[in-house]
Amino acid sequence: MASQSQVLVEVKSSVRILTLNRPKQLNALCFNMISRLLQLFLAYEKDPSVKLVILKGQGRAFCAGGDVPPVVNNIVQGKWRLGADFFRDQYTLNYVMATYSKPQVSILNGIVMGAGAGVSIHGRFRIATENTVFAMPETALGLFPDVGASYFLSRLPGFFGEYVGLTGARLDGAEMLACGLATHFVLSSSLDALEADLCKVGSSDPSFVSTIIDAYTQHQYLKQKSAYYRQVLDVIDRCFSRRTVEEIISALEREATQEPDDWILTTIRALKKSSPSSLKISLRSIREGRLQGVGQCLIREYRMVCHVMKGDLSKDLVEGCRAILIDKDRNPKWEPKRLDDMKDNMVDQYFERVEEEERWEDLKLSPRNNLRASKIASKL
Ligand SMILES: CC(C)(COP(=O)(O)OP(=O)(O)OC[C@H]1O[C@@H](n2cnc3c(N)ncnc32)[C@H](O)[C@@H]1OP(=O)(O)O)[C@@H](O)C(=O)NCCC(=O)NCCSC(=O)/C=C/c1ccc(O)cc1
């Protein structure tokens, strides 16, 4: 029953409006919500009377991520496999959304982080507003940008995806639109009227949906200090194209000595504060993602997240969750402590099957009718 009140459903002729409804927890996705969303999306795909699905959040967030504390409690109690079930359903939902045969319109009128990006960015239309705050903050949490982020971040212009994924930098609505994470920008005061118009669509043809949203779209200028200006993008490309995290930081430090700048200092500080193991596996994940379809990315990320939860190589997820969400001291003690201590062979292990575990299986994603070649799910 909880899942019914945590994901509200409105039926408006051929449109279904789903509202994530845990506003006190910033709509963090718990296991029940993910199962419910998966069940609803699959049912709507089969139902010819449904033409369009709108996803939005109650309160000041669209969704601040996965509901981390319960999974971390399971890990602490030695039950990481319960967490694996959570991620299996979540990644399956991301895959269904990425290959969905009907348009999904996500209204990102607030915080969009981690798992919140996973349930929106893969869909066809992503509407940002003046209230949108987007981030993939996983490296500060001892995790890595997952939910198919190695697919969508690696497809951003130049090396912007590496920058966003490694530093957890926050983007506003204009920046999301500029880099392609959002498809439209609409002022929040117009959202009710837009929603009412979308409910009259009567067709799953994306060009009809696009025409409706276009009528509400506002041109947005980037803020003065945006990381999306050409000058900063050049620095991002020069530095974040480096082969290793150590080389990225050295390149940023060299730039900083030539031209000290708030943005560079903040970026270096963010990298130095994040989990060394997270940074290294994240960089490798985004780089591999450049050459893989969304299904392959999710299958690989599932292996990685199972290693993170199992905690053989590092326990940074539990520590990061403590520092950010439980004690909120924002002072995690990472292990390994330094980037140098995280050797290549340790990184390699995150990308291998979880061996020695009875009953552990790779994530299995079924072929989907409307799978575009670039999104194909195949075995690693
Ligand atoms: C910048 C935020 C989004 C807003 O800050 P704020 O405006 O100062 O608001 P609060 O921090 O006070 O948040 C309001 C409430 O929402 C809760 N909350 C805010 N994000 C969350 C949240 N992801 N979960 C579960 N309660 C939350 C937060 O703990 C707090 O609860 P409470 O102290 O009881 O009032 C801040 O909450 C924040 O940094 N949240 C964490 C964002 C984040 O790292 N998201 C996760 C991305 S990674 C991801 O999705 C992974 C999922 C995962 C799942 C399972 C795993 O084992 C491992 C990973």
Side-chain angles (χ1 to χ4, degrees):
M1 283 315 282
S3 66
Q4 311 246 335
S5 61
Q6 290 167 345
V7 179
L8 304 176
V9 179
E10 286 169 85
V11 176
K12 297 266 175 84
S13 78
S14 61
V15 174
R16 299 294 176 271
I17 304 175
L18 305 182
T19 305
L20 306 175
N21 186 36
R22 284 180 85 209
K24 280 196 185 135
Q25 294 82 16
L26 306 180
N27 300 323
L29 293 178
C30 60
F31 189 68
N32 284 339
M33 290 165 86
I34 287 168
S35 308
R36 177 88 174 127
L37 285 171
L38 184 56
Q39 178 199 15
L40 290 168
F41 268 80
L42 290 173
Y44 295 156
E45 194 162 46
K46 279 198 209 129
D47 182 345
S49 72
V50 178
K51 306 293 183 200
L52 173 76
V53 184
I54 297 176
L55 186 62
K56 60 183 189 175
Q58 190 74 264
R60 67 184 172 103
F62 171 75
C63 169
D67 191 7
V68 187
V71 182
V72 168
N73 280 343
N74 287 330
I75 295 173
V76 172
Q77 291 167 25
K79 298 188 227 159
W80 71 270
R81 277 166 164 288
L82 293 176
D85 294 340
F86 171 93
F87 284 99
R88 169 167 282 139
D89 276 15
Q90 183 172 193
Y91 294 1
T92 305
L93 174 65
N94 302 143
Y95 177 67
V96 166
M97 288 173 160
T99 56
Y100 209 55
S101 58
K102 299 179 184 184
Q104 173 188 344
V105 178
S106 300
I107 299 180
L108 309 176
N109 187 29
I111 297 164
V112 186
M113 294 189 181
V119 293
S120 55
I121 305 300
H122 295 293
R124 180 68 184 76
F125 298 103
R126 291 93 59 185
I127 300 179
T129 75
E130 75 281 10
N131 299 319
T132 308
V133 182
F134 174 94
M136 298 303 287
E138 289 86 349
T139 58
L141 206 67
L143 193 60
F144 60 93
D146 64 334
V147 294
S150 61
Y151 180 78
F152 63 73
L153 289 180
S154 64
R155 277 148 184 85
L156 297 185
F159 292 83
F160 198 67
E162 273 89 344
Y163 162 66
V164 169
L166 294 185
T167 63
R170 292 184 181 185
L171 306 181
D172 64 18
E175 291 168 321
M176 281 188 83
L177 185 68
C179 74
L181 284 166
T183 57
H184 295 79
F185 185 101
V186 173
L187 288 173
S188 61
S189 54
S190 304
L191 290 175
D192 287 347
L194 167 63
E195 202 175 291
D197 267 0
L198 284 170
C199 288
K200 296 178 202 146
V201 67
S203 164
S204 287
D205 185 335
S207 61
F208 289 7
V209 181
S210 191
T211 306
I212 295 172
I213 308 173
D214 284 348
Y216 289 89
T217 301
Q218 290 277 327
H219 181 73
Q220 273 304 303
Y221 291 100
L222 292 170
K223 61 180 182 257
Q224 224 181 0
K225 298 228 158 153
S226 172
Y228 212 73
Y229 277 119
R230 187 68 266 156
Q231 232 180 339
V232 186
L233 282 181
D234 287 344
V235 178
I236 288 177
D237 286 350
R238 275 201 298 278
C239 300
F240 283 85
S241 56
R242 302 294 166 131
R243 200 180 56 84
T244 64
V245 179
E246 290 91 328
E247 288 169 26
I248 291 173
I249 295 177
S250 303
L252 285 163
E253 285 174 336
R254 270 196 305 277
E255 298 271 349
T257 53
Q258 283 158 23
E259 209 165 322
D261 164 272
D262 276 358
W263 173 84
I264 295 192
L265 298 178
T266 307
T267 303
I268 295 170
R269 213 175 302 124
L271 289 171
K272 289 195 168 168
K273 214 167 170 6
S274 294
S275 150
S277 59
S278 291
L279 286 172
K280 289 211 170 176
I281 63 173
S282 300
L283 182 61
R284 165 103 171 253
S285 176
I286 297 169
R287 293 273 155 89
E288 291 200 4
R290 286 175 176 266
L291 303 173
Q292 294 179 320
V294 69
Q296 289 170 305
C297 287
L298 288 162
I299 292 168
R300 175 176 39 71
E301 290 174 9
Y302 183 71
R303 285 186 181 182
M304 293 170 68
V305 83
C306 286
H307 283 292
V308 170
M309 284 188 297
K310 204 172 162 217
D312 287 349
L313 299 155
S314 158
K315 303 200 187 325
D316 281 359
L317 173 60
V318 173
E319 175 58 8
C321 179
R322 180 204 64 72
I324 306 274
L325 285 168
I326 297 168
D327 298 345
K328 300 191 182 182
D329 59 23
R330 299 208 159 249
N331 190 20
K333 303 273 178 283
W334 304 124
E335 195 58 53
K337 206 169 156 188
R338 294 168 347 118
L339 285 164
D340 284 355
D341 299 331
M342 183 72 188
K343 308 286 182 208
D344 284 354
N345 67 329
M346 292 160 79
V347 174
D348 291 345
Q349 290 177 54
Y350 282 90
F351 293 77
E352 288 162 11
R353 282 178 51 81
V354 180
E355 298 296 356
E356 308 138 28
E357 277 293 326
E358 282 173 52
R359 296 178 291 107
W360 185 89
E361 285 186 355
D362 266 322
L363 176 66
K364 294 208 169 51
L365 298 172
S366 326
R368 307 239 317 143
N369 280 345
N370 56 320
L371 198 63
R372 279 176 259 153
S374 61
K375 296 193 166 184
I376 218 136
S378 66
K379 283 212 165 259
L380 290 172

